[in-house]
């Protein structure tokens, strides 16, 4: 609330006159240290400990993170899976939901007390040819939460005010957290597949964090949904979320045939959110003629193989899809706010992050784990 805030003003000499420049606005009770999970080398120990509270730059807000989703990307970042270096030491996390407690002098779109979300895209240059087209995630200077910028696995995190998500007051912060990466990403991926209501979409990796939201966004967009994952528990889970058909990749003897039979010739689109190179390449085989394969999941060192003859004769398209821009963010949040998608979450303490990574690595998570930063 504004009444609970104070302004820090700095007096500075300017052309012989005295000028007051507001450095920042902040809530009164921001501690100097906080709890967070930090690692010093990729794959090294995850320390749950006291770390300094960061100070927002002129363009940033400081968010008191209440909850953060745990995305498989956080696991990739910790392991150092990708050909892009993380900052070190690093505080991971990029699905953070909380309350603005301080802001830099140039911030005009957030007030103290507003609800705000930390997304994967922390900031972009806003000047390059990709930013100009609204493809901000593709900016070569993109700053990434929980990767090149300390993220949401801490109680207080900074975020570029332009890219931070605006979350309506009164929203359940634990439930909205997974929308900030998983929700935005699958919503954008479904848009990228350019499907029409009534067409079939296959979600490969349907029982995971991204998949469980993809099933619901697809349903809300009027699509018929086939889910692929492993195990009977994931089958019951995704059917409950709206899958018409479930294919268990651990049981199917001929996955391509089973999927084509169930969809009368193959799905019109496939959203790949599994962390399996084999599953990604298979999707190029079972997709329907003229269909679209959307690549979202990012297994380490993966290559997508598509037989050229079938690729041409069926005239399929393979498209990459990378999180979403500010418009996608607001649209994805709107589906959530209107109750069209629900976050299938399990809330545990931030200190339990290592155990979550262990379960995630084994594919044992149904939906999304969300960490409460208070323990
Ligand atoms: P997750 O671990 O929650 O889910 C992955 C699911 O895939 C699990 O349910 C697992 O059982 C299933 N799976 C494993 N092998 C499979 C197979 N052969 N066939 C079908 N399903 C299989 O992970 P998540 O948090 O949903 O993230 C998924 C991937 O998406 C990660 O690689 C992550 O880095 C990536 N990601 C990409 C973007 C983007 O913008 N492109 C954004 C966020 C996450
Ligand atoms: Zn993510």
């Amino acid at each position: 609330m504004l009444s609970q805030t104070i302004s820090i003003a700095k007096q500075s000499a300017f052309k012989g006159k005295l000028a007051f420049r507001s450095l920042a606005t902040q809530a009164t009770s921001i501690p100097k240290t906080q709890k967070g999970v930090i690692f010093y080398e990729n794959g090294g120990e995850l320390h749950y400990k006291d770390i300094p509270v960061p100070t927002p730059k002129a363009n940033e807000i400081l968010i008191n993170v209440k909850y953060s989703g745990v995305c498989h990307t956080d696991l990739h970042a910790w392991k150092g899976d990708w050909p892009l270096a993380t900052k070190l030491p690093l505080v991971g996390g990029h699905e953070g939901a909380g309350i603005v407690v301080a802001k830099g002098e140039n911030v005009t779109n957030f007030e103290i007390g507003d609800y705000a979300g930390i997304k994967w895209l922390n900031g972009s240059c806003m000047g390059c040819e990709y930013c100009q087209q609204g493809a901000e995630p593709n900016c070569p200077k993109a700053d990434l939460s929980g990767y090149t910028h300390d993220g949401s696995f801490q109680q207080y995190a900074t975020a570029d005010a332009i890219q931070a998500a605006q979350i309506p007051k009164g929203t359940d912060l634990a439930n909205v957290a997974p929308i900030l990466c998983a929700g935005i990403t699958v919503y954008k991926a479904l848009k990228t597949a350019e499907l029409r209501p009534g067409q079939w979409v296959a979600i490969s990796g349907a029982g995971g964090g991204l998949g469980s939201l993809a099933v619901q966004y697809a349903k809300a967009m009027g699509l018929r949904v086939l889910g692929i994952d492993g195990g009977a528990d994931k089958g019951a889970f995704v059917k409950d979320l709206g899958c018409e058909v479930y294919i268990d990749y651990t049981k199917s003897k001929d996955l391509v045939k089973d999927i084509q039979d169930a969809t009368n010739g193959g799905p019109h689109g496939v959203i790949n959110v599994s962390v399996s190179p084999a599953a990604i390449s298979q999707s190029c085989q079972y997709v329907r003629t003229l269909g679209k394969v959307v690549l979202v999941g990012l297994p380490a060192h993966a290559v997508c193989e598509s037989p050229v003859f079938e690729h041409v004769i069926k005239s399929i398209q393979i498209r990459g899809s990378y999180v979403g821009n500010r418009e996608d963010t607001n649209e994805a949040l709107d589906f959530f706010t209107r109750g069209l998608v629900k976050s299938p979450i399990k809330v545990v303490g931030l200190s339990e992050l290592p155990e979550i990574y262990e379960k995630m690595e084994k594919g044992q998570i149904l939906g999304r784990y969300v960490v409460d930063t208070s323990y």
Side-chain angles (χ1 to χ4, degrees), residues 70-74 94-95 120 180-182 185 210 323 368:
V70 182
C71 179
H72 207 115
T73 292
D74 298 312
H94 57 275
E95 286 184 350
W120 174 246
L180 297 166
C181 171
T185 301
L210 268 64
V323 285
R368 197 51 130 203

Side-chain angles (χ1 to χ4, degrees), residues 73-158:
T73 292
D74 298 312
L75 177 56
H76 291 303
W78 171 61
K79 286 164 67 184
D81 272 348
W82 297 336
L84 177 69
T86 63
K87 86 177 258 301
L88 287 173
L90 179 69
V91 176
H94 57 275
E95 286 184 350
I99 300 167
V100 178
V101 291
K103 60 180 207 164
E105 61 188 348
N106 294 343
V107 175
T108 54
N109 59 339
F110 278 100
E111 297 301 335
I112 308 301
D114 283 354
Y115 283 11
I118 291 172
K119 308 184 288 128
W120 174 246
L121 185 67
N122 190 279
S124 71
C125 81
M126 288 298 183
C128 70
E129 67 173 282
Y130 309 111
C131 285
Q132 283 178 30
Q133 296 171 52
E136 297 138 23
N138 304 100
C139 173
K141 292 186 182 152
D143 187 25
L144 310 171
S145 308
Y147 207 90
T148 56
H149 187 111
D150 282 338
S152 52
F153 295 154
Q154 54 184 341
Q155 293 172 312
Y156 292 88
T158 53

Side-chain angles (χ1 to χ4, degrees), residues 72 75 234 356-365:
H72 207 115
L75 177 56
K234 298 229 169 148
I356 300 174
Y357 282 169
E358 226 176 288
K359 286 199 178 84
M360 187 174 261
E361 182 78 59
K362 294 182 189 151
Q364 289 174 345
I365 296 178

Side-chain angles (χ1 to χ4, degrees), residues 216-217 219-221 241 334-342:
Q216 298 176 72
Y217 276 101
K219 186 100 191 296
M221 290 167 160
L241 295 175
D334 189 55
F335 274 72
F336 171 82
T337 306
R338 289 188 292 133
L340 296 171
V341 297
K342 306 229 179 317

